[in-house]
């Protein structure tokens, strides 16, 4: 029993160190802040524009990743399987296309840094001056 408690405590400490929390980022020239509703609409394809009227380039983390689960749990309220069903329905009916998926947070950050209208989410520990945080769930 003590071993199980030690393993659980170690796992909790490691996960706390590895993930400080998810944040939504944009290019430094992008908007200064976004609301939860704005971010949710962008990630569910219900809105395609940033507050400045520019067409948003929404970037998604890889399916099944922990950060994707944390983000969607806190922002869109959908699980990975619910997201797949949601996008499958929209794609099948021709009403939408899921966001571009990139599997690495460092690649996502570089995409956001190099595209003025890009929006993505990464772990807060990976944020630097190349991107701007606009929302923290």
């Amino acid at each position: 029993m003590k071993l199980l408690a030690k393993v659980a405590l170690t796992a909790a400490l490691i996960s706390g160190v590895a993930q400080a929390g998810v944040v939504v980022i944009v290019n430094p020239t992008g908007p200064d802040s976004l609301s939860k509703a704005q971010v949710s609409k962008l990630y569910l394809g219900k809105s395609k524009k940033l507050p400045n009227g520019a067409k948003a380039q929404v970037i998604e983390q890889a399916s099944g990743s922990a950060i994707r689960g944390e983000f969607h749990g806190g922002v869109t309220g959908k699980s990975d399987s619910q997201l797949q069903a949601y996008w499958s329905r929209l794609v099948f009916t021709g009403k939408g296309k899921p966001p571009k998926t990139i599997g690495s947070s460092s690649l996502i950050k570089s995409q956001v840094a190099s595209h003025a209208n890009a929006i993505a989410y990464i772990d807060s520990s990976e944020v630097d001056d190349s991107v701007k945080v606009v929302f923290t769930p």
Side-chain angles (χ1 to χ4, degrees):
M1 188 69 170
K2 279 186 170 184
L3 178 62
L4 184 60
K6 286 181 182 177
V7 169
L9 179 61
T10 303
L13 290 173
I14 290 171
S15 68
V17 170
Q19 283 205 332
V22 64
V23 292
V24 177
I25 57 169
V26 297
N27 185 281
T29 62
D32 290 330
S33 67
L34 292 172
S35 69
K36 179 179 177 178
Q38 289 172 312
V39 174
S40 178
K41 286 179 180 178
L42 286 167
Y43 273 89
L44 293 176
K46 295 178 179 177
S47 174
K48 300 196 183 304
K49 295 185 177 183
L50 294 172
N52 63 5
K55 184 177 179 187
Q57 180 186 356
V58 181
I59 301 171
E60 182 71 85
Q61 293 272 354
S63 181
S65 66
I67 193 165
R68 181 174 169 147
E70 181 182 351
F71 172 77
H72 282 288
V75 176
T76 65
K78 295 192 181 297
S79 68
D80 232 12
S81 60
Q82 289 172 323
L83 276 173
Q84 283 184 321
Y86 177 83
W87 283 113
S88 292
R89 185 171 36 89
L90 290 180
V91 168
F92 182 73
T93 58
K95 294 182 178 176
K97 186 174 139 186
K100 177 181 179 180
T101 300
I102 298 178
S104 158
S105 289
S106 61
L107 287 176
I108 288 173
K109 189 170 65 175
S110 72
Q111 284 283 313
V112 171
S114 62
H115 292 88
N117 301 322
I119 178 171
Y121 56 91
I122 60 174
D123 189 89
S124 63
S125 65
E126 300 178 65
V127 172
D128 60 22
D129 291 342
S130 68
V131 295
K132 179 169 42 175
V133 175
V134 291
F135 178 72
T136 303

